[in-house]
C-alpha cells in the first residue's frame, strides 16, 4: 500500500447505519419500469428484504400512475422545495404539492428521516443506466454507484455517474428528502411502455444497491477509488421562431448520442428546410437527455455535462455502529 | 407479354382523376412526425404542390396537439362512425366528436369528398413504415403503396402493406372519409418526441405518394403486380389478474419483433415472477403493434396478422379523364 493510499484510508468517510430504505416508483406516472416494480413489490415485498435494514416500496404519484401521465397538475419531482414543503395547505394547491408534503412527512422529516432513497425513472433518451445524484457531498451514494458499476451483471445498459450539483436549499427533487439517495434513470423507453429488458436491468440495479447497503451495515469497508462523473453544465433549448415555437429539431447526428463527446462545430439541430445548426461552444461537452419527451415543455433539447475525474475517499460504518443482527 | 398478363391488363381497374388531396397530421396530438410536418406545410405548402391536383395539409386535432396528448376527450381516430357523424350536435359532446363532424363536412361529404387522404401517424412499436389501409377494395391505394415500396429511396425503415379489413359501415377511422386513403404509421418513435430520421422518412413517403398521384393523373398506366400484405386477424390482450390489472409484460423475445413470424410455443409474455407465457395458437402469425403505448388502454398487447399474397390488377385513369394541364 502506498503512502497516498494509506492517507486516503485514514481519511475514510464514516457514515451511520442505514436502517430504513424507501424505493420510489411512479414519481412520474408514465415511466413504467418503476411503476411496474413498485406495484409488484407492494404485493410481494420479500425481494427487497435484507438482514440489516428495512426496505419498503412506495408508489410516489398514484393519481398520475392511474392516468398514465407524468403528473396531474405539477411535476412532482420539482415539488420538494422548502417553499412548497413548508407552506400551509390550501384548497387551491396542485395535487402534487399535497402529495409532496405527504411524502416528506412520511419519509423525510424529523424522526422519520429515511437513510437511503432510491427513486426509479425512465427516459426516452439513450441514457443507459444513469445513476443520478443531486449532492456532491453524498459519499455513500457515490460508493453505491461505484458498486453498481462494478458488480451488476448485465452490461446491456451501461452505468453512468451523473451529478446535478445543487445546494440542498435549492434542491426540488424527491431524492432530496432522504439522508442519502440515488435516482436510477433508465432509457430509452417510451412513456407509457413497459419494456422487459429495461425493467429487468432496473430490478437488477435495485437489488445490487440493497446488497451494497447490507454489506455496509455489516461493517464492510469500501476502499477509496477514482471515477469519472458527468456533471451538469447547462440546459440547451430548441431554436425558436419569433412566436416562441420550436423551429428546428434534434439533428440525426446528435440523436441517441447521449454521453458521446460533442465537439465545437458539430451539427446539433436541423430546420424543416434542411439547414443544419452547429454547436457553437468552445469546448467539448457530453450531451445528455437528448430529445427527452418530457423536457419539451421545460424548453430543454439536451443537457450539457462535463466529465469530471473524482477521487473518492474510503467508506466505512461509524465506529461502534455495527449492526447487531436484529432489525430495528 | 403472356396471355395471362394480357388478361390482367384487359381487366385494369379504372379510377377517376384525383383532384383534391388532404394530408392529415396530428390526428393523435403526440405523434410528432405528422404534427411537425403538417405545421410546416401549413406555413410553407409549396412542397406539396404538383401539376395535376391540389394538396392541402390539415392539423386534424389541434387541441390535442397543443396539449401534446393523443386526444382530449375521445380518440379522434375512432370517431368517424356513421353514428357519431350523423348524430345531432350536443353540448355534452366530447371535443373529438365535434372535430370529427367538422373534418367530415370539410373533406368527406357530398361535393366536398376528397379524392385521396393521407393520415400521418407514429407508433412506439418497431413497425418501420407501415402503409395501413382499411379497405381491401381500394385498388388505387394499393398501387400507391406498391409505388412507395419500390420507389422511395431510403430503406432504413422498410415499408409493410397492412390491411384492417372492415366494411365501410363499420369503419371508424379518419381515413374512411376520403374516396381513397392511406395511413402512414411510422415507428419506433416515443410519444411526444420528434426524431429527425422518422420525420425525414415520412416526408419522403408523402412526397413519393404525391408523385404517384401526379403520374396517375397524367395518364400513366400502372401494371398489375403481386404483393404480400399483412391482414389483421385478432387483437391480443395482456394477461390480467382477477382485478383486471395487467399481470405480465411483453416478453423480451417478442419485443421489437413486429412482422417477424411468431410460432406456436414461443414466449410472448413474462410475469414479474419470471414465468414465461407461450403463444398457444396453432398457426404462425405475424405480430404487429407490439407493446404500443397507446394500446394499453385499448387492452391490446399486440395485433396478430396473417401474410396474404395478392394479385393486384393494373390501374389506369378512366378513359377520357386525362388531366388537361390546368388545376381545377
Amino acid at each position: 500500500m502506498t503512502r497516498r493510499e494509506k492517507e486516503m484510508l485514514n481519511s475514510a468517510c464514516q457514515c451511520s447505519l442505514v436502517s430504513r430504505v424507501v424505493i420510489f416508483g411512479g414519481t412520474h406516472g408514465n415511466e413504467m419500469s418503476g411503476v411496474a416494480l413498485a406495484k409488484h413489490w407492494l404485493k410481494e415485498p420479500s425481494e427487497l428484504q435484507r438482514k440489516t435494514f428495512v426496505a419498503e416500496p412506495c408508489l410516489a404519484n398514484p393519481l398520475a400512475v392511474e392516468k398514465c401521465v407524468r403528473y396531474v397538475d405539477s411535476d412532482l419531482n420539482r415539488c420538494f422545495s422548502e417553499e412548497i414543503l413548508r407552506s400551509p395547505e390550501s384548497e387551491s394547491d396542485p395535487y402534487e404539492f399535497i402529495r409532496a408534503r405527504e411524502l416528506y412527512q412520511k419519509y423525510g422529516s424529523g424522526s422519520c428521516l429515511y437513510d437511503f432513497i432510491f427513486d426509479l425513472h425512465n427516459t426516452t433518451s439513450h441514457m443507459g443506466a444513469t445513476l443520478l445524484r443531486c449532492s456532491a457531498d453524498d459519499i455513500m451514494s457515490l460508493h453505491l454507484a461505484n458498486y453498481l458499476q462494478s458488480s451488476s451483471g448485465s452490461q446491456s445498459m451501461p452505468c453512468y455517474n451523473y451529478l446535478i450539483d445543487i445546494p440542498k436549499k435549492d434542491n426540488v427533487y424527491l431524492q432530496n428528502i432522504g439522508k442519502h439517495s440515488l435516482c436510477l434513470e433508465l432509457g430509452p423507453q417510451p412513456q407509457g411502455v413497459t419494456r422487459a429488458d429495461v425493467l429487468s436491468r432496473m430490478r437488477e440495479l435495485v437489488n445490487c444497491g440493497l446488497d451494497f447497503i447490507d454489506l455496509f451495515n455489516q461493517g464492510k469497508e469500501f476502499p477509496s477509488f477514482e471515477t469519472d462523473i458527468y456533471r451538469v453544465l447547462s440546459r440547451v433549448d430548441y431554436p425558436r421562431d419569433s412566436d416562441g415555437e420550436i423551429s428546428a429539431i434534434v439533428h440525426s447526428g446528435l440523436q441517441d448520442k447521449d454521453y458521446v463527446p460533442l465537439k465545437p462545430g458539430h451539427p446539433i439541430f436541423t430546420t424543416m428546410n434542411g439547414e443544419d445548426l452547429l454547436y457553437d461552444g468552445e469546448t467539448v461537452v457530453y450531451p445528455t437527455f437528448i430529445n427527452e419527451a418530457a423536457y419539451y415543455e421545460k424548453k430543454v433539447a439536451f443537457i450539457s455535462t462535463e466529465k469530471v475525474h473524482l477521487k473518492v475517499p474510503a467508506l466505512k460504518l461509524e465506529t461502534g455502529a455495527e449492526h447487531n443482527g436484529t432489525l430495528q
Side-chain angles (χ1 to χ4, degrees), chain A:
Chain A
M1 187 179 286
T2 66
R3 186 172 150 193
R4 176 168 169 68
E5 282 169 333
K6 278 185 193 161
E7 281 171 10
M8 293 283 281
L9 201 63
N10 285 341
S11 64
C13 169
Q14 296 200 8
C15 287
S16 56
L17 196 81
V18 174
S19 298
R20 285 184 297 191
V21 174
V22 58
I23 300 153
F24 291 112
T27 303
H28 295 132
N30 55 9
E31 298 179 4
M32 300 304 287
S33 305
V35 170
L37 284 169
K39 280 185 173 180
H40 172 68
W41 288 328
L42 283 165
K43 283 183 196 158
E44 299 182 29
S46 60
E47 181 181 345
L48 304 179
Q49 299 320 312
R50 298 294 183 278
K51 283 187 199 149
T52 62
F53 61 90
V54 173
E56 63 179 275
C58 173
L59 209 53
N61 193 335
L63 203 51
V65 168
E66 197 184 311
K67 295 170 184 277
C68 196
V69 293
R70 183 175 174 90
Y71 57 82
V72 179
D73 297 322
S74 182
D75 190 336
L76 178 63
N77 208 27
R78 304 293 183 275
C79 287
F80 293 86
S81 66
E82 287 195 15
E83 187 188 348
I84 292 174
L85 294 178
R86 293 189 179 179
S87 62
E89 288 211 5
S90 143
E91 276 195 13
S92 62
D93 275 344
Y95 166 71
E96 279 84 3
F97 284 24
I98 300 164
R99 185 64 182 149
R101 291 188 199 109
E102 284 173 4
L103 293 173
Y104 179 65
Q105 285 300 318
K106 186 160 181 196
Y107 298 107
S109 61
S111 63
C112 293
L113 181 67
Y114 271 55
D115 301 296
F116 208 102
I117 284 180
F118 290 94
D119 190 17
L120 308 184
H121 289 260
N122 292 117
T123 166
T124 64
S125 307
H126 283 233
M127 294 284 281
T130 289
L131 313 174
L132 190 154
R133 301 160 50 251
C134 291
S135 163
D137 304 329
D138 185 356
I139 300 299
M140 181 179 284
S141 68
L142 251 177
H143 269 275
L144 192 150
N146 186 54
Y147 188 80
L148 295 185
Q149 284 188 302
S150 50
S151 306
S152 71
S154 154
Q155 287 304 313
S156 61
M157 303 182 82
C159 289
Y160 301 95
N161 253 322
Y162 198 86
L163 177 64
I164 309 177
D165 194 2
I166 31 177
K168 193 165 173 65
K169 69 178 178 47
D170 299 330
N171 190 334
V172 295
Y173 300 102
L174 169 56
Q175 62 177 115
N176 187 33
I177 68 174
K179 191 169 172 189
H180 308 286
S181 62
L182 189 71
C183 168
L184 303 183
E185 184 76 75
L186 268 64
Q189 181 173 269
Q191 297 175 342
V193 167
T194 312
R195 284 184 66 100
D197 51 357
V198 180
L199 183 140
S200 158
R201 181 75 171 123
M202 186 176 273
R203 190 172 189 171
E204 176 185 60
L205 289 168
V206 170
N207 273 290
C208 190
L210 297 176
D211 291 344
F212 167 86
I213 295 172
D214 206 26
L215 288 171
F216 168 79
N217 277 350
Q218 289 172 42
K220 179 177 166 62
E221 284 192 26
F222 294 90
S224 62
F225 64 96
E226 300 192 14
T227 191
D228 287 326
I229 66 162
Y230 295 87
R231 183 163 58 185
V232 169
L233 287 173
S234 64
R235 288 158 178 81
V236 178
D237 190 11
Y238 292 90
R240 294 177 185 273
D241 64 19
S242 54
D243 299 328
E245 280 253 348
I246 289 175
S247 61
I249 62 178
V250 168
H251 194 278
S252 58
L254 182 64
Q255 179 70 47
D256 306 337
K257 297 293 195 303
D258 303 83
Y259 294 113
V260 176
L262 172 63
K263 295 171 185 163
H266 275 220
I268 51 175
F269 296 110
T270 188
T271 71
M272 295 298 278
N273 294 319
E275 186 195 351
D276 286 352
L277 307 177
L278 310 181
Y279 167 53
D280 63 0
E282 289 176 0
T283 57
V284 169
V285 293
Y286 296 82
T288 59
F289 289 103
I290 298 166
N291 213 351
E292 157 60 40
Y295 290 177
Y296 278 73
E297 68 171 23
K298 299 186 196 298
K299 301 193 172 182
V300 174
F302 63 90
I303 299 179
S304 281
T305 69
E306 60 179 346
K307 199 198 260 195
V308 179
H309 192 71
L310 276 194
K311 294 173 185 174
V312 183
L315 173 77
K316 62 178 183 181
L317 191 62
E318 64 185 13
T319 312
E322 285 80 3
H323 183 70
N324 61 9
T326 56
L327 287 175
Q328 300 176 331

